Amino acid sequence: MEQFIVSARKYRPKHFKDVVGQQAITNTLENAIKNNHLAQALLFTGPRGVGKTSCARILAKRINQQDAENAEEEDFAFNIFELDAASNNSVDDIRSLTDQVRIPPQTGKYKVYIIDEVHMLSQAAFNAFLKTLEEPPAHAIFILATTEKHKIIPTILSRCQIFDFKRIGVLDAKNYLKTISEKENITAEDDALHIIAQKADGAMRDALSIFDRVVSFSGKNLTREAVTENLNVLDYDTYFGMTDLLLANKIPEVLNAFNVVLGKGFEGHHFINGLASHFRDLLVAKDKVTLELLEVGDNAKKKYLMQATAASIPFLMQAIQKANDCDLNYRASKNQRLLVELSLMQIASITFDGEKKKSANYIIPATFFQSLSPTKKKITKILVSKTETVKTAVTAVVEKPKPALERPILKNLGRLAKEPSKYSLKGFNKQKDTKKTTVQENFDNHPKDAFTEKKLQDLWKSYVELLNKKGERSIASIIGTDIPTLGADFQISFTVPNKLMQDQFKKGRPKLMNFLREKLNNYGIAIVVLLNEAVEKKFAYTPDEKYKKLKEKNPLLEKLRQAFELDL
């Protein structure tokens, strides 16, 4: 049986062109070798698994190959010395190293000393190394590698040429994993490799280790579902589904979905952080300029663009703020699950009844979501009538007489089903609506003069201006969202983009009807409110968008800007 070699070792870079995501450093080192412009002390610093030691080994081989005639056939392994400073960090180890430095190489031009994890050297060892590092022999080159540059004393740093290795980008790591998958004859979904690259957090070695683990789990076919299951990460579909529920104000479904997440073994802190990142990605997807910051696969990017159109910028900003507050308070909370649930309920209440002023921590009342079992719904529907009818209805629905203990339950159920008190705000509004619906006017004998669509639209605009003067800006903005059209039999059609605006328009429709009837001298008109969620009002947020809207209203503004050479 052939011995298995992990991908991190099997695919360790052997040439500078194989190093992923460090093109600036590899090009600099390549040019320094060609132009004989290489420093005698180099310090490679950066996060783990980004190619520091690999670049040091490649550089050590390339230095001597530059001057050799048969570079590929020559073995310069005897000229390369690797020292692990984590286990050889004493003064004696450094003194032994400085004694070896004096001896020139037998073959080749340089002896290269690679000291890995150099920050682990003791203070005395650093001081013993100072003189040799400052004035090394002409045949010696030192390459130091570390993940913690701040632990190295300044006198060492000042004697080295420092190369800062960066974290490997998600797309670079994904493309490299795709190359390895093709070499290993593994079929891998793009989203699956993208999740692995994200989980690696900028370290190529970690990405290869995760890749090996997932391949062992799912075989030669890597799917997004298999990767998320094996790595125990929350799939982005979870956050898409949760966001849809939050936008729809469905608090009971939101709490059930969060319970499912907890049931899978995920911590609430991990979930709320992921949800905040999801809101951030939706905010990024709303503008073409920032779309490049969205580090996701092509399939996921389409989903983000689709959901970003449904989520408004004010909603996303408030949602991010609430998720961030939950993140900050999570560790100090005594009841962490309750904290996350409250945050989710507050986020789900942001877009609820948007025309009413509410506090920053507003939560939709539980009575709004009150739902009963089918039997109780049937009883409640019958109990809505008067008290005498209630008693008859309960007897009709309940098949057999109830014991004495169950009578209070039916009594309370009947009380819940009764009309609200006339002294409460809900009861007052109920009576007000009832009066409105009961009084129906008959306009058969009233005038019905003909009018044009242009005249209708002019009166419509004047009514919007009238509302703004009265301070009723909320209903004015809704009426001004679209231009009405005139149909047969004096039927006026008006389109709104969402259900909330449709409900608000219907409340203000009677006053609008009275205004139009008097001005048009036509009492046969009717206004039909249409709902078209595909319609989206264009708001100007950036200075460039504001200028374009002003230019549409007054084209002479562009000539003024050009005449005075003004900037936007």
Side-chain angles (χ1 to χ4, degrees):
M1 184 177 179
E2 186 179 353
Q3 184 180 2
F4 173 72
I5 302 175
V6 295
S7 298
R9 287 180 55 200
K10 186 176 181 179
Y11 294 100
R12 180 185 282 272
K14 297 180 180 179
H15 303 90
F16 281 132
K17 64 181 180 181
D18 299 331
V19 179
V20 181
Q22 310 293 347
Q23 283 77 13
I25 293 176
T26 55
N27 290 341
T28 302
L29 294 174
E30 190 73 49
N31 292 332
I33 294 171
K34 289 180 181 179
N35 301 325
N36 196 22
H37 211 269
L38 197 66
Q40 287 194 294
L42 306 171
L43 175 63
F44 292 171
T45 178
R48 70 184 191 282
V50 295
K52 299 185 297 297
T53 306
S54 296
C55 282
R57 291 177 180 176
I58 296 169
L59 178 62
K61 293 179 180 179
R62 290 281 289 108
I63 289 172
N64 285 314
Q65 287 178 356
Q66 182 69 13
D67 299 322
E69 294 181 0
N70 299 321
E72 297 296 332
E73 300 177 3
E74 195 75 33
D75 185 10
F76 298 102
F78 292 106
N79 291 11
I80 302 173
F81 300 90
E82 279 198 51
L83 177 69
D84 181 19
S87 55
N88 303 282
N89 55 5
S90 64
V91 179
D92 294 336
D93 295 322
I94 295 300
R95 284 175 181 169
S96 175
L97 177 66
T98 55
D99 291 339
Q100 294 179 19
V101 170
R102 300 172 187 172
I103 304 171
Q106 299 300 314
T107 59
K109 188 176 180 181
Y110 295 102
K111 292 177 73 175
V112 183
Y113 294 88
I114 302 174
I115 305 178
D116 204 3
E117 302 298 336
V118 70
H119 65 276
M120 300 292 285
L121 290 177
S122 63
Q123 185 75 20
F126 271 130
N127 293 329
F129 191 43
L130 276 176
K131 193 63 178 176
T132 305
L133 196 64
E134 185 176 14
E135 297 177 358
H139 61 266
I141 291 181
F142 293 96
I143 304 177
L144 315 180
T146 180
T147 56
E148 301 182 47
K149 185 175 70 172
H150 60 279
K151 291 186 178 180
I152 302 175
I153 60 176
T155 48
I156 293 288
L157 293 176
S158 64
R159 288 165 169 78
C160 298
Q161 192 175 83
I162 301 174
F163 291 87
D164 286 305
F165 284 68
K166 63 180 181 180
R167 289 184 178 277
I168 297 173
V170 175
L171 294 179
D172 290 336
K174 185 192 75 173
N175 292 333
Y176 190 65
L177 291 174
K178 189 174 183 180
T179 303
I180 293 176
S181 300
E182 293 172 354
K183 291 180 180 179
E184 297 289 335
N185 296 322
I186 295 173
T187 304
E189 292 182 1
D190 190 66
D191 288 342
L193 297 179
H194 197 277
I195 292 172
I196 294 174
Q198 280 185 319
K199 184 73 172 178
D201 194 24
M204 197 67 237
R205 184 168 59 239
D206 291 356
L208 292 172
S209 300
I210 296 172
F211 178 78
D212 287 343
R213 185 174 118 197
V214 175
V215 169
S216 300
F217 172 75
S218 59
K220 295 287 184 178
N221 186 20
L222 286 186
T223 61
R224 177 172 57 86
E225 292 78 9
V227 171
T228 53
E229 181 182 354
N230 183 259
L231 298 183
N232 197 30
V233 297
L234 276 171
D235 195 358
Y236 58 73
D237 282 342
T238 302
Y239 294 117
F240 278 117
M242 179 62 76
T243 304
D244 287 337
L245 295 176
L246 292 171
L247 288 170
N249 314 120
K250 297 181 179 179
I251 289 182
E253 289 83 350
V254 167
L255 297 179
N256 286 332
F258 178 57
N259 186 60
V260 171
V261 171
L262 294 178
K264 293 180 180 179
F266 295 100
E267 192 181 18
H269 198 191
H270 174 70
F271 170 78
I272 201 70
N273 281 336
L275 188 62
S277 299
H278 181 76
F279 290 146
R280 174 260 182 195
D281 290 339
L282 289 176
L283 198 60
V284 164
K286 292 191 76 69
D287 196 330
K288 293 181 179 179
V289 178
T290 57
L291 194 59
E292 295 299 324
L293 300 175
L294 199 61
E295 293 185 339
V296 295
D298 294 335
N299 294 332
K301 187 174 290 187
K302 292 178 183 178
K303 291 186 177 182
Y304 274 105
L305 291 173
M306 188 180 299
Q307 194 171 74
T309 58
S312 64
I313 291 180
F315 167 79
L316 293 175
M317 295 299 292
Q318 291 184 57
I320 291 173
Q321 181 64 48
K322 292 183 184 300
N324 186 54
D325 291 342
C326 180
D327 177 28
L328 295 175
N329 298 326
Y330 190 86
R331 293 300 179 194
S333 175
K334 297 291 185 182
N335 193 336
Q336 295 173 335
R337 173 170 180 165
L338 178 61
L339 175 66
V340 177
E341 288 176 338
L342 285 173
S343 300
L344 290 174
M345 287 190 286
Q346 290 172 7
I347 294 172
S349 305
I350 292 175
T351 58
F352 177 75
D353 200 10
E355 294 300 319
K356 293 184 178 180
K357 293 183 179 179
K358 50 183 181 285
S359 64
N361 296 325
Y362 173 79
I363 295 176
I364 302 172
T367 53
F368 183 80
F369 305 101
Q370 187 176 10
S371 62
L372 301 173
S373 63
T375 304
K376 290 182 179 179
K377 282 184 178 178
K378 188 175 180 182
I379 296 174
T380 305
K381 187 175 180 181
I382 302 172
L383 294 183
V384 172
S385 56
K386 297 181 181 180
T387 309
E388 294 297 327
T389 311
V390 169
K391 295 178 181 178
T392 308
V394 171
T395 308
V397 174
V398 182
E399 296 180 357
K400 58 182 180 179
K402 298 297 178 181
L405 291 174
E406 295 188 19
R407 290 171 188 167
I409 299 176
L410 290 174
K411 185 177 180 181
N412 292 333
L413 184 60
R415 188 168 63 244
L416 286 173
K418 289 180 182 179
E419 296 291 332
S421 172
K422 63 179 181 179
Y423 300 107
S424 65
L425 182 59
K426 185 176 180 181
F428 176 79
N429 290 332
K430 186 81 174 179
Q431 292 176 352
K432 187 177 178 182
D433 294 339
T434 305
K435 290 179 181 178
K436 287 183 179 180
T437 54
T438 52
V439 179
Q440 294 183 353
E441 297 177 87
N442 188 0
F443 297 108
D444 292 340
N445 298 326
H446 288 64
K448 298 179 182 178
D449 294 351
F451 58 91
T452 62
E453 189 178 76
K454 179 68 168 59
K455 186 175 181 180
L456 168 67
Q457 293 174 356
D458 292 339
L459 286 173
W460 196 280
K461 291 179 181 177
S462 64
Y463 183 74
V464 172
E465 294 174 358
L466 181 64
L467 290 175
N468 284 323
K469 290 180 181 178
K470 291 181 178 180
E472 299 176 11
R473 301 185 182 276
S474 175
I475 188 65
S477 63
I478 294 174
I479 296 176
T481 54
D482 190 32
I483 299 174
T485 57
L486 181 62
D489 298 328
F490 306 115
Q491 180 172 302
I492 302 170
S493 299
F494 182 74
T495 305
V496 292
N498 56 58
K499 184 70 169 62
L500 179 62
M501 294 178 69
Q502 186 183 39
D503 295 340
Q504 294 297 320
F505 181 86
K506 288 179 180 179
K507 292 180 180 179
R509 180 166 53 182
K511 292 183 179 179
L512 175 60
M513 291 276 287
N514 293 334
F515 175 83
L516 294 176
R517 285 168 178 168
E518 293 177 5
K519 295 295 182 182
L520 296 172
N521 196 28
N522 187 318
Y523 288 80
I525 61 175
I527 300 178
V528 179
V529 190
L530 304 176
L531 179 62
N532 185 3
E533 296 182 348
V535 176
E536 183 179 0
K537 184 176 178 181
K538 178 66 178 177
F539 292 93
Y541 294 105
T542 64
D544 185 47
E545 291 174 348
K546 292 177 181 178
Y547 175 74
K548 286 180 181 178
K549 290 187 75 68
L550 290 174
K551 190 170 67 173
E552 290 174 1
K553 294 181 179 180
N554 190 353
L556 295 176
L557 193 62
E558 177 63 18
K559 294 184 179 180
L560 178 66
R561 187 186 70 82
Q562 294 176 356
F564 289 94
E565 298 181 356
L566 300 174
D567 295 330
L568 292 180

